Amino acid sequence: VPDTEPIIELLKDASTRREAFSLLVKQYKHRIYGIVRKMVISHDDADDIVQDVFVKVWNNLDKFKGDSVLFTWLYRIATNEALQFLRRKRNKIWFGNDITKELAEKIESDKYVDGDEIQLKLQKAILRLPDKQRLVFNLRYFEDLSYEEISVITEVSVGSLKASFHHATKKIEEFLQDD
Amino acid sequence: MEKNPNKKLDEIPKKEFFQVPDGYFDTLDQKIQDRISEKRDGKVVPFYVEHRWKVIGLAAAASIALLLMILPSLDNQPVVSKADQLLAQVSADDCLAYLEFSELDIEDIIGSTPSEDIEAALEEYMFEGPEIEDEDLDLLYEKYGATSDEKLKTL
């Protein structure tokens, strides 16, 4: 996790807030995009959401408490936006649409992916998990975050997160072993 | 693609599967800066919502224009000018069909409806109940094998 101390110092002063925000975007855009993209799959959707996340961050900078960790605050906003996007997609009036299937098809036809057959199979296995479990798996497996950090981001207890990750791993391995 | 379909999770190398278009991250900062410069009243309007409402607005405008072109040509049909009157002539089925194709969700509809209208609709529904035509009631009785008297007993 990058050092956020200089950014937090600049954020405290209204005259340097814009500069601090620019540094924040520069430092976190790749990570925020990565987390969001793994959840919503489509690059265009991820692009829209990442912009919304940073606009929301800018509008809520006053609410950021210097004592809380900056990256967990950012990640919480990003994961909430991604989950909300998926929830909206599932709540569409158009009944009978299968979002999991739609996202799996998107992965197969997406020109902005790079991986061999087993990587594709892994991504399709992850997609079969419920959204929140998928989020926990991604944060732990791909982002290498500790359970304590994920607990702050998702506001779920460490014990529940460990159980969730264990079940997710088991389901993914089962899918990987299937033909 | 490499053929290697069955592996355990810890045997799969971790790599960045998802890619971005060339130069994407170079332009992202500026797009965000532009967004915060043009923000309205400090409220975030998600891009996909804003974009969707533009499309819906255009579709509504196109529907009204079409009605304006068709109505004067109909015999004995008065030419009306107000959008509300024109839209009132669109059948409920057509409205439902439009909503189904528009990808609107319940949150969008509630979000765009004035709260007093929602309250009035709820009040009407709760205190007066929905209006059901006799024909529809008979169909319900027939479907569930009940008579009007049996129906009354269950109320």
Side-chain angles (χ1 to χ4, degrees):
Chain A
V1 176
D3 178 22
T4 54
E5 203 55 46
I7 296 178
I8 292 171
E9 280 305 309
L10 290 170
L11 280 175
K12 287 176 185 167
D13 186 345
S15 65
T16 52
R17 195 165 283 177
R18 188 91 184 213
E19 184 192 345
F21 180 72
S22 295
L23 288 171
L24 190 79
V25 173
K26 208 177 283 295
Q27 207 159 69
Y28 282 98
K29 60 186 174 184
H30 292 87
R31 287 161 182 268
I32 297 295
Y33 175 88
I35 291 169
V36 172
R37 176 79 187 275
K38 285 184 192 80
M39 292 302 293
V40 302
I41 307 302
S42 149
H43 164 72
D44 290 338
D45 291 338
D47 179 32
D48 292 344
I49 294 168
V50 169
Q51 289 182 46
D52 289 342
V53 166
F54 280 109
V55 174
K56 198 165 250 185
V57 167
W58 171 255
N59 288 336
N60 289 283
L61 275 178
D62 289 340
K63 291 177 194 162
F64 172 68
K65 294 171 188 158
D67 53 345
S68 58
V69 183
L70 186 59
F71 94 91
T72 51
W73 184 64
L74 269 178
Y75 279 28
R76 189 186 304 165
I77 295 173
T79 54
N80 281 343
E81 286 289 306
L83 288 173
Q84 197 182 357
F85 173 85
L86 292 168
R87 208 162 32 238
R88 289 172 66 93
K89 230 171 151 56
R90 288 183 206 284
N91 286 347
K92 289 274 183 274
I93 286 175
W94 187 287
F95 293 105
N97 54 347
D98 184 341
I99 301 299
T100 305
K101 194 176 161 199
E102 187 188 311
L103 294 179
E105 285 169 359
K106 207 167 262 180
I107 281 188
E108 292 199 65
S109 61
D110 198 327
K111 57 183 174 178
Y112 299 121
V113 297
D114 177 30
D116 55 26
E117 192 171 330
I118 190 65
Q119 297 282 351
L120 179 65
K121 195 169 180 180
L122 171 60
Q123 290 300 331
K124 285 164 84 173
I126 296 169
L127 267 184
R128 293 162 74 97
L129 304 172
D131 291 342
K132 283 182 185 167
Q133 199 174 43
R134 191 153 64 93
L135 174 68
V136 172
F137 180 83
N138 286 339
L139 292 176
R140 179 81 186 127
Y141 184 78
F142 290 109
E143 304 297 321
D144 282 326
L145 296 185
S146 68
Y147 286 115
E148 286 73 19
E149 288 166 334
I150 302 172
S151 174
V152 176
I153 294 164
T154 58
E155 295 175 319
V156 174
S157 72
V158 169
S160 302
L161 290 172
K162 284 181 179 174
S164 179
F165 185 75
H166 174 76
H167 285 297
T169 308
K170 206 173 154 192
K171 278 192 254 182
I172 289 169
E173 295 222 315
E174 279 170 10
F175 183 82
L176 290 174
Q177 296 305 315
D178 284 347
D179 285 326
Chain B
M1 278 192 179
E2 183 196 336
K3 279 269 176 191
N4 199 359
N6 294 326
K7 274 190 173 181
K8 284 195 162 185
L9 192 56
D10 55 10
E11 292 171 343
I12 301 172
K14 283 187 200 177
K15 60 174 284 189
E16 197 48 69
F17 179 78
F18 294 102
Q19 306 293 310
V20 295
D22 287 342
Y24 168 69
F25 285 115
D26 299 334
T27 58
L28 181 60
D29 300 48
Q30 192 54 51
K31 282 197 274 185
I32 293 166
Q33 296 294 346
D34 291 347
R35 288 275 307 275
I36 64 169
S37 297
E38 67 188 29
K39 73 186 175 68
R40 292 174 306 210
D41 304 327
K43 191 183 174 194
V44 182
V45 181
F47 175 80
Y48 51 88
V49 172
E50 201 170 40
H51 177 71
R52 184 189 297 162
W53 280 109
K54 278 181 192 162
V55 173
I56 292 166
L58 285 172
S63 306
I64 292 166
L66 192 66
L67 279 168
L68 283 169
M69 282 175 3
I70 293 169
L71 287 175
S73 65
L74 298 175
D75 288 337
N76 304 321
Q77 184 73 40
V79 178
V80 284
S81 57
K82 287 183 180 173
D84 284 350
Q85 287 173 287
L86 291 168
L87 288 172
Q89 294 177 40
V90 180
S91 74
D93 284 347
D94 287 344
C95 283
L96 286 172
Y98 169 73
L99 287 171
E100 203 167 51
F101 278 99
S102 72
E103 294 192 347
L104 275 171
D105 64 22
I106 290 164
E107 282 176 31
D108 290 334
I109 293 169
I110 291 174
S112 65
T113 308
S115 57
E116 55 269 31
D117 288 356
I118 294 172
E119 281 166 22
L122 278 173
E123 206 167 73
E124 186 183 338
Y125 183 82
M126 286 167 73
F127 292 106
E128 294 177 26
E131 283 182 19
I132 302 174
E133 298 290 334
D134 286 345
E135 282 177 14
D136 294 330
L137 269 177
D138 288 337
L139 280 172
L140 281 170
Y141 295 149
E142 197 177 305
K143 183 171 180 182
Y144 293 103
T147 65
S148 301
D149 290 340
E150 281 173 316
K151 169 75 175 136
L152 284 171
K153 279 178 205 168
T154 62
L155 289 174

